[in-house]
Amino acid sequence: MFDLDDTLLDFKASEKLSFVRTMQELGLRDSVDGIFQQYQAINVELWRRFETGAVTKDFLKVERFRKTFLANGIDLDPEVASVLYLESLPDTVVLIEGAKLLCETLSAMGEVGIITNGVEAIQNRRIASSGLAEYISFVATSEACGYAKPDVRFFEYAAKMAKPFAKEDAIIIGDRLDADILGANRYGIESCWFNPDRLANASEAMPDYEVDSLNDIASILSRRLPQCPAT
């Protein structure tokens, strides 16, 4: 089970492209880089609050723009900005290096699923645009589930979408210790931390494997499941 953003898809790249495009459509072209950095910080904080149940996703989608505009004295409609931004995301998909080959390889070894806290309709469109859809068996979203990673109930929901599912045969692969890896720990299945920046782990989450390149994952899983050769 793969996290999507910043594991298979380069969300940071897509996020900036979509933000810049949105600001340009709204007539704002000056100082966009600096405004984007502020937006990123606000967005990350709101997503943390969403994952703890403190705010709703609908609130988050607009509030991140409202707070960004307020902080910069920008007189633009945050609801319009939110709609434009979300509509832009499927058109700015950027794959992490090795993502397509990995999904193709693993789909021959077992079932590949996506687990994401992102907006369901947008994530499905982004997956379709990415060229990965043919390798993916199911997409589990927090929006459809009602609970977000790292809540154990989200992983229980995702497991029911797999056919069949056994904890000892499953693994979660993701870039976030506090959502993907901690969720795997709590649910009781193995995990692989995708850590391209080689960050130190100072959290309570404990991955079973750690890689800085997607190209290393197939060989790890072929050793874990020796009957399935890696390619």
Side-chain angles (χ1 to χ4, degrees), residues 52 75 114 116 141 152 192 194 217-218 226:
T52 63
D75 185 19
I114 299 294
T116 174
T141 68
V152 169
C192 178
F194 176 52
I217 293 175

Side-chain angles (χ1 to χ4, degrees), residues 103-119:
C103 287
E104 182 181 7
T105 300
L106 296 188
S107 67
M109 295 168 64
E111 198 172 11
V112 177
I114 299 294
I115 51 173
T116 174
N117 283 347
V119 179

Side-chain angles (χ1 to χ4, degrees), residues 2-231:
F2 278 100
D3 171 55
L4 187 63
D5 289 319
D6 293 322
T7 300
L8 294 176
L9 305 185
D10 188 340
F11 182 73
K12 293 182 181 68
S14 180
E15 179 184 36
K16 185 168 185 179
L17 288 169
S18 294
F19 184 88
V20 170
R21 181 182 294 184
T22 298
M23 294 302 102
Q24 289 176 343
E25 286 192 41
L26 292 171
L28 184 65
R29 290 175 171 78
D30 296 331
S31 306
V32 173
D33 284 347
I35 296 169
F36 173 68
Q37 290 177 5
Q38 290 179 294
Y39 165 86
Q40 274 189 310
I42 291 167
N43 189 41
V44 167
E45 176 57 27
L46 282 167
W47 275 105
R48 302 287 190 222
R49 292 176 63 194
F50 165 74
E51 288 163 1
T52 63
V55 301
T56 67
K57 192 172 292 181
D58 284 340
F59 175 83
L60 175 157
K61 289 186 288 188
V62 177
E63 180 67 4
R64 55 192 177 183
F65 286 99
R66 189 195 69 78
K67 293 185 75 170
T68 301
F69 293 163
L70 183 63
N72 289 276
I74 297 171
D75 185 19
L76 291 173
D77 188 331
E79 292 190 5
V80 173
S82 176
V83 170
L84 290 173
Y85 172 77
L86 291 173
E87 284 298 312
S88 177
L89 279 174
D91 299 325
T92 59
V93 169
V94 179
L95 285 169
I96 298 286
E97 182 181 355
K100 188 169 185 178
L101 178 59
L102 177 60
C103 287
E104 182 181 7
T105 300
L106 296 188
S107 67
M109 295 168 64
E111 198 172 11
V112 177
I114 299 294
I115 51 173
T116 174
N117 283 347
V119 179
E120 181 171 19
I122 303 303
Q123 296 297 63
N124 285 331
R125 288 174 58 193
R126 294 175 70 229
I127 291 168
S129 297
S130 71
L132 301 179
E134 63 181 296
Y135 309 117
I136 294 168
S137 296
F138 64 89
V139 179
T141 68
S142 61
E143 190 172 329
C145 171
Y147 301 98
K149 297 181 289 182
D151 195 306
V152 169
R153 289 169 291 188
F154 173 84
F155 294 94
E156 291 171 343
Y157 167 80
K160 290 176 182 177
M161 300 182 75
K163 51 180 195 304
F165 179 86
K167 286 187 177 182
E168 61 270 21
D169 296 330
I171 188 167
I172 287 172
I173 301 165
D175 69 299
R176 285 187 52 193
L177 290 165
D178 59 346
D180 307 308
I181 308 306
L182 183 60
N185 292 165
R186 290 176 175 175
Y187 188 51
I189 64 176
E190 287 193 343
S191 62
C192 178
W193 181 27
F194 176 52
N195 182 20
D197 296 325
R198 301 183 181 181
L199 303 174
N201 181 2
S203 75
E204 62 177 302
M206 296 297 295
D208 296 282
Y209 309 97
E210 180 179 338
V211 297
D212 57 27
S213 170
L214 293 183
N215 296 323
D216 296 331
I217 293 175
S219 61
I220 287 174
L221 296 190
S222 67
R223 293 196 299 271
R224 184 174 176 271
L225 300 171
Q227 73 276 18
C228 299
T231 59

